Amino acid sequence: PPIDVLFIDASAGLKFQLGLVDKFYRNVRAGGYLIHQDFFYYRSPALPPLMAALHPAFVPVCNADTSMIYRRTEAPMPVLAVDVEAQLPREMERFGGLKEPGGAVIGTQRVYWLLMHGRIEEAARLTTAIVSSQRQKQAWDNLRGAWGEFSRLRDKGLLKDEVERQLSECLHA
């Protein structure tokens, strides 16, 4: 059945998000809305690249705190090819770069992505750049959360060669 408003409250990985696309997004009628509650949350690094890949079927309308609201257009659903690693830097720039709150918050998602893939030095450099360019509360909160979660997982011995698989099992058990 057609969906008028689809509200998603899930800061899960790309595989989970792609499942939502297959099961629900395709049923949002033209003119309907998709609301991502956790769009600007550090644990949602797949959402900005995913939504960029879904353009022009979904176009941004506005944001409200950590949520992003999209409107479904008449455009057909695209065949998805989402590369979170390559797309996150582009999304940071699309949202204004590190000098703007949206770009800085997406930067925190990249920090989380880098940490969960064992790229700690890159994450530290990006953290320094965000902190030196941004005084926005959401960015600071996200950085604290990303580094805190990394520390907890490291202390539990969960950050090894298969970081992403183990993190997924830990967070979604």
Side-chain angles (χ1 to χ4, degrees), residues 18 28 30 33-34 45 53 57 60 77 94-95 98 108-109 111 129 144 146 152 157:
L18 291 173
V28 176
Y33 292 92
L34 167 63
M77 289 290 284
R94 191 169 73 82
F95 279 86
L98 296 182
T108 68
Q109 293 174 332
V111 166
R144 275 192 293 279
R152 284 188 300 279

Side-chain angles (χ1 to χ4, degrees), residues 42-43 112 140-150 152:
Y42 74 92
R43 286 182 56 195
Y112 181 73
W140 288 68
D141 289 348
N142 275 0
L143 286 172
R144 275 192 293 279
W147 282 96
E149 186 163 327
F150 169 75
R152 284 188 300 279

Side-chain angles (χ1 to χ4, degrees), residues 5-158:
V5 177
L6 177 59
F7 182 89
I8 305 289
D9 180 6
S11 60
L14 181 59
K15 184 177 177 182
F16 179 83
Q17 295 297 340
L18 291 173
L20 292 177
V21 170
D22 287 339
K23 289 185 169 78
F24 299 105
Y25 290 33
R26 296 182 188 287
N27 294 322
V28 176
R29 68 167 179 76
Y33 292 92
L34 167 63
I35 303 167
H36 273 294
Q37 183 201 353
D38 294 322
F39 188 87
F40 290 108
Y41 185 51
Y42 74 92
R43 286 182 56 195
S44 301
L47 284 179
L50 173 64
M51 293 312 298
L54 286 170
H55 189 272
F58 287 90
V59 295
V61 175
C62 64
N63 75 292
D65 192 34
T66 63
S67 299
M68 191 72 177
I69 302 168
Y70 289 85
R71 184 178 49 79
R72 177 71 166 97
T73 68
E74 297 282 344
M77 289 290 284
V79 174
L80 288 177
V82 181
D83 181 348
V84 175
E85 172 66 23
Q87 191 66 29
L88 270 175
R90 289 189 286 250
E91 291 304 298
M92 284 169 48
E93 291 308 311
R94 191 169 73 82
F95 279 86
L98 296 182
K99 299 262 185 229
E100 294 297 323
V105 169
I106 291 176
T108 68
Q109 293 174 332
R110 180 151 169 75
V111 166
Y112 181 73
W113 176 265
L114 291 168
L115 288 170
M116 295 303 114
H117 289 83
R119 294 163 58 189
I120 299 161
E121 290 178 14
E122 274 182 84
R125 284 192 299 273
L126 182 54
T127 296
T128 300
I130 292 168
V131 168
S132 66
S133 70
Q134 192 56 241
R135 299 286 182 240
Q136 199 255 352
K137 183 182 183 320
Q138 182 67 39
W140 288 68
D141 289 348
N142 275 0
L143 286 172
R144 275 192 293 279
W147 282 96
E149 186 163 327
F150 169 75
S151 295
R152 284 188 300 279
L153 291 172
R154 182 196 59 217
D155 293 347
K156 290 180 179 179
L158 293 176

Side-chain angles (χ1 to χ4, degrees), residues 150-168:
F150 169 75
S151 295
R152 284 188 300 279
L153 291 172
R154 182 196 59 217
D155 293 347
K156 290 180 179 179
L158 293 176
L159 294 176
K160 300 193 188 304
D161 293 335
E162 299 180 63
V163 174
E164 190 166 358
R165 181 187 63 76
Q166 292 178 11
L167 176 65
S168 179

